[in-house]
Amino acid sequence: MINFMLLVSRQGKTRLTKWYKSYTTKDKSRIARELSAAVLARPPKMCNFIEWRDCVVVYKRYASLFFIACIDRKDNELIMLEQIHLFVEVLDRYFLNVCELDVIFNFHKAYYILDELFIGGQLQETSKAEVLRACAAQDELMEDSKDEGTTATRSSGRR
């Protein structure tokens, strides 16, 4: 099971966090700071797994972002690397060549994609097409609600 997922820039700024286990706010910030420092300090040729506390941290760097996941010791690290890669591929298809700025300015969409893939720390959807279809449907709903809001504002302004 995934305990948490972090997206961290090369400068150490946390861009996205998702916690599947309960932690205090103080612990969350300490964990993010501690793991960011540990991952950023590692040379590029080193293994992408770190044994940390009673868990295993799996990370992968894509462009300027580090995708960091903390999993239970009994879970398979290579499968987690594949799941991170699946998340990156879906982000890449959705944003058409994703970059750090896409995640910063459209963080709600990145969270939505993450929530479509993982529920409660478990992989729920393996089909990239299905996740992208759900995201497209969500975008349509958002556009429809914006259109309705604009129409309601215009009609109330006429009175």
Side-chain angles (χ1 to χ4, degrees):
M1 183 180 116
I2 302 171
N3 297 323
F4 56 85
M5 174 103 51
L6 306 171
L7 267 66
V8 179
S9 70
R10 284 188 304 185
Q11 293 77 29
K13 300 230 188 245
T14 304
R15 298 301 183 195
L16 185 131
T17 60
K18 184 70 175 179
W19 304 90
Y20 297 105
K21 258 181 128 178
S22 167
Y23 295 96
T24 65
T25 305
K26 187 177 179 182
D27 283 342
K28 287 178 182 179
S29 62
R30 186 176 42 76
I31 288 168
R33 192 173 48 251
E34 184 180 323
L35 284 179
S36 297
V39 168
L40 291 172
R42 291 173 66 90
K45 298 279 185 189
M46 284 192 84
C47 177
N48 289 359
F49 313 131
I50 302 171
E51 290 193 7
W52 179 74
R53 297 184 186 177
D54 59 340
C55 303
V56 176
V57 174
V58 179
Y59 70 93
K60 182 75 175 152
R61 179 180 169 199
Y62 289 95
S64 63
L65 285 174
F66 285 91
F67 291 75
I68 303 169
C70 178
I71 59 173
D72 296 332
R73 282 195 189 270
K74 65 181 181 345
D75 292 335
N76 189 325
E77 296 92 351
L78 295 175
I79 289 175
M80 189 62 231
L81 268 179
E82 284 297 316
Q83 291 174 358
I84 290 172
H85 187 69
L86 175 66
F87 179 45
V88 172
E89 283 183 324
V90 173
L91 285 173
D92 202 45
R93 284 192 188 172
Y94 182 79
F95 290 111
L96 304 175
N97 200 9
V98 69
C99 67
E100 185 177 350
L101 290 175
D102 291 324
V103 174
I104 292 169
F105 293 118
N106 299 299
F107 65 91
H108 56 285
K109 292 180 182 180
Y111 274 115
Y112 186 76
I113 291 169
L114 188 62
D115 289 340
E116 281 295 315
L117 287 170
F118 301 101
I119 297 175
Q122 299 288 332
L123 181 67
Q124 293 300 310
E125 183 59 64
T126 57
S127 169
K128 291 176 255 187
E130 192 60 38
V131 172
L132 291 169
R133 204 169 305 133
C135 292
Q138 179 70 15
D139 287 345
E140 276 184 41
L141 285 173
M142 288 177 65
E143 286 299 319
D144 290 346
S145 67
K146 283 181 185 177
D147 291 343
E148 288 173 9
T150 310
T151 307
T153 305
R154 286 183 189 159
S155 63
S156 66
R158 291 181 189 164
R159 292 182 187 175

